[in-house]
Amino acid sequence: MPNTQYDALIIGSGQAGNPLATALADAGQRVVLVEENLLGGSCINYGCTPVKAMLASAERAHQLRTAADYGMQAQEPAVDMAAVVARKDEIVQAMRNGVRSNLTQERPGITVLHGHATFVGPRTVEVLLAGGKTQQLTARKVFINTGTRAAVPDIEGLQEVPFLTTTQLLDLKELPEHLVILGGGYIGLEFSQLYRRLGSRVTIVESHRQLLEREDDDACIGLTRVLEAEGVEVVLGAKVRKVSHKEGTYTLTAQTAAGERRIRGTHLVVATGRRPNTDTLGLGAAGVQTDEKGYIQVNARLETNVRGVYALGDVHGGPQFTHISYDDFRVVRDNLLRGKRRSAKQRPLPYCVFTEPQLGRIGLNEDQAKEQGVSYRVATMPVRTIGRAREIGRTEGFWKVLIGDDDRLLGATVLCAEGGEIMSMFQLMMAGRLKYQQIQDMVLAHPCWAEGLNNVFTQLKRP
């Protein structure tokens, strides 16, 4: 078995590993990247890109269905699910090709291998290549970027039925008649609205008392009302005890506050969380430590307990967002290549749920501020008061801001059309440490969504 030595070995072609490979190669290092599945990681292949592409199709269907609200004749869209999936696949393939070109054609210092990597020593791995051969690789530094996969809850009968993961659902070329979604988190909500707007009957089954249990009650209730108004059935506080499948029908037996309930549908997708892809890496041979869930333990520089071995992206736990994975790359790049001391701790955490309206979040919400004992004032503004919202007929939701005793923004929750973009304006306000009075009196173009910044702070009060 040949042993090949490199300066850097990257396991996994995700949103942290790919840019790190190019940065290291540009710095003159010999880099090898090993990918077991598809180049591009979860974001490109079965996360952000495909889901948002299909959400765009669902939005067009919704516009046809609601055209009468804008003075035009409404019609029920004739959805060609195979064409929806084909459009998604074309976008994904183009981005995947871009990753391959960037790694293999534009950077001669990078070697890409397709296969499964297993540690046989602290900085040595054995790669089972796609053709069945094996190759041993040794590097001065190793970077693990293997991501996560769908977690399957321990429910009687679930492993015996042909349920779908969210990845498999994205490739389904026939529209489900009745889609049951097990899990009411961010992923489950986006899929619920997507398939409801395309024409499926949709039921969300969530074990907690509300959707998005980490959000304030007003955000959870507001988004639940939006989904229910579009025809999504939401079953809360439902502890599923058993799943069965017979003659094309799934049956979920759940315990609810009202007693036992049976929920039936033609398709079942499990969206109850993720688990790290670490169990087949042979981390024990490298001495790399994980927590009880299998996530790799790292310090502020993303280095594991083994010197020279790093973990980037979802595989080390914490918030699982593409932009956080990409920032992991920047942390490692700056520490190793630019002589800067940069930490992965205490960084901003912006995120957005891409329902319509979107839910954008930055900084503290009220629950978090109370838990941390942070003094704050709060103001909530209904979206319907914004001129832009009334003009284009997108009046659902609210903006909520938390202001500290120093008159600076502690956090914002934005349930609104273009909520992610608006949230980013609040993030810039926080990054610049601007006081709310500076934004309140700023001249902003009319009639833009941003005008709401002039008004949202007017009703500040103690909770």
Side-chain angles (χ1 to χ4, degrees):
M1 180 189 304
N3 185 308
T4 306
Q5 294 186 341
Y6 290 88
D7 297 308
L9 163 63
I10 300 172
I11 307 173
S13 170
Q15 294 303 305
N18 293 335
L20 180 61
T22 59
L24 293 171
D26 287 345
Q29 297 190 23
R30 293 184 67 233
V31 180
V32 58
L33 185 148
V34 181
E35 173 56 52
E36 184 176 12
N37 295 307
L38 298 168
L39 292 178
S42 62
C43 179
I44 288 177
N45 292 295
Y46 51 85
C48 311
T49 297
V51 175
K52 277 55 178 180
M54 292 178 69
L55 279 168
S57 296
E59 183 180 3
R60 298 306 186 278
H62 183 69
Q63 289 171 348
L64 287 173
R65 197 176 285 116
T66 60
D69 295 341
Y70 297 85
M72 291 170 281
Q73 186 174 353
Q75 64 183 66
E76 186 63 27
V79 176
D80 183 345
M81 199 64 202
V84 171
V85 173
R87 175 183 179 273
K88 175 264 297 183
D89 288 344
E90 183 178 356
I91 294 170
V92 169
Q93 189 61 55
M95 297 188 72
R96 195 183 295 152
N97 292 343
V99 170
R100 179 175 294 279
S101 175
N102 189 48
L103 290 175
T104 60
Q105 297 179 20
E106 301 173 24
R107 300 300 196 289
I110 301 174
T111 298
V112 175
L113 298 178
H114 289 275
H116 178 74
T118 305
F119 280 94
V120 293
R123 287 177 295 280
T124 302
V125 303
E126 185 176 296
V127 180
L128 177 60
L129 299 171
K133 295 182 179 180
T134 59
Q135 185 173 351
Q136 198 170 91
L137 308 174
T138 301
R140 292 189 299 111
K141 286 185 168 54
V142 179
F143 305 91
I144 304 169
N145 185 217
T146 51
T148 60
R149 64 185 185 274
V152 180
D154 185 16
I155 298 174
E156 181 185 346
L158 183 58
Q159 294 282 10
E160 283 72 56
V161 303
F163 67 87
L164 298 167
T165 65
T166 54
T167 303
Q168 294 167 325
L169 182 60
L170 288 168
D171 292 330
L172 201 63
K173 294 181 174 61
E174 295 181 357
L175 192 65
E177 178 183 339
H178 183 182
L179 178 64
V180 177
I181 300 174
L182 185 57
Y186 311 121
I187 297 173
L189 297 198
E190 290 183 4
F191 275 99
S192 73
Q193 192 174 55
L194 192 167
Y195 281 91
R196 178 59 190 152
R197 287 185 166 187
L198 290 176
S200 295
R201 181 182 170 191
V202 177
T203 299
I204 299 174
V205 181
E206 169 58 44
S207 60
H208 291 87
R209 66 178 180 87
Q210 62 186 20
L211 303 176
L212 304 178
E213 73 273 12
R214 294 185 181 89
E215 304 298 333
D216 286 340
D217 287 353
D218 49 9
C220 301
I221 293 170
L223 197 45
T224 300
R225 287 174 177 169
V226 166
L227 295 174
E228 289 180 333
E230 292 194 16
V232 175
E233 181 186 16
V234 179
V235 183
L236 298 174
K239 307 289 185 180
V240 178
R241 298 188 296 101
K242 183 179 179 181
V243 177
S244 60
H245 180 252
K246 185 177 181 181
E247 297 178 352
T249 298
Y250 293 86
T251 301
L252 281 65
T253 303
Q255 191 65 38
T256 71
E260 187 175 272
R261 177 173 175 180
R262 286 181 171 81
I263 302 156
R264 294 180 173 86
T266 60
H267 293 74
L268 171 64
V269 62
V270 175
T272 53
R274 311 286 295 175
R275 58 176 296 188
N277 292 321
T278 56
D279 48 329
T280 61
L281 288 177
L283 294 178
V288 173
Q289 294 178 356
T290 64
D291 66 12
E292 67 279 0
K293 294 182 179 180
Y295 289 102
I296 298 174
Q297 300 295 280
V298 295
N299 61 21
R301 300 182 307 279
L302 301 174
E303 191 171 19
T304 70
N305 62 296
V306 178
R307 188 172 182 179
V309 179
Y310 298 76
L312 299 86
D314 298 350
V315 77
H316 64 65
Q320 296 184 3
F321 298 109
T322 294
H323 45 281
I324 297 298
S325 295
Y326 187 78
D327 194 59
D328 281 358
F329 146 68
R330 289 185 291 223
V331 168
V332 172
R333 176 201 63 190
D334 287 357
N335 284 316
L336 295 183
L337 299 179
R338 296 187 175 181
K340 299 180 181 179
R341 293 185 62 84
R342 184 165 178 165
S343 172
K345 308 296 183 183
Q346 304 300 319
R347 52 188 169 183
L349 178 57
Y351 60 89
C352 183
V353 183
F354 287 89
T355 49
E356 176 54 48
Q358 297 172 7
L359 177 63
R361 278 262 283 111
I362 181 66
L364 299 179
N365 62 16
E366 284 201 82
D367 287 345
Q368 292 168 332
K370 291 172 183 176
E371 289 171 4
Q372 297 177 27
V374 177
S375 176
Y376 69 94
R377 288 162 288 165
V378 62
T380 301
M381 180 181 71
V383 170
R384 64 177 181 274
T385 65
I386 302 173
R388 181 66 175 169
R390 294 195 298 268
E391 291 154 5
I392 66 174
R394 301 172 81 176
T395 56
E396 293 285 350
F398 63 89
W399 296 10
K400 182 167 69 172
V401 292
L402 273 64
I403 298 294
D405 292 338
D406 60 356
D407 289 342
R408 293 184 171 90
L409 188 67
L410 295 170
T413 299
V414 183
L415 180 61
C416 178
E418 307 302 337
E421 310 298 337
I422 296 164
M423 174 271 295
S424 297
M425 291 190 284
F426 285 119
Q427 183 180 357
L428 290 171
M429 178 182 172
M430 294 175 70
R433 292 188 53 76
L434 300 178
K435 294 189 175 183
Y436 78 87
Q437 295 92 339
Q438 295 172 267
I439 303 298
Q440 192 172 25
D441 295 329
M442 184 177 291
V443 178
L444 297 165
H446 174 79
C448 293
W449 285 108
E451 274 190 306
L453 295 169
N454 288 154
N455 303 320
V456 68
F457 303 104
T458 58
Q459 302 298 320
L460 283 173
K461 58 185 179 182
R462 293 289 175 185

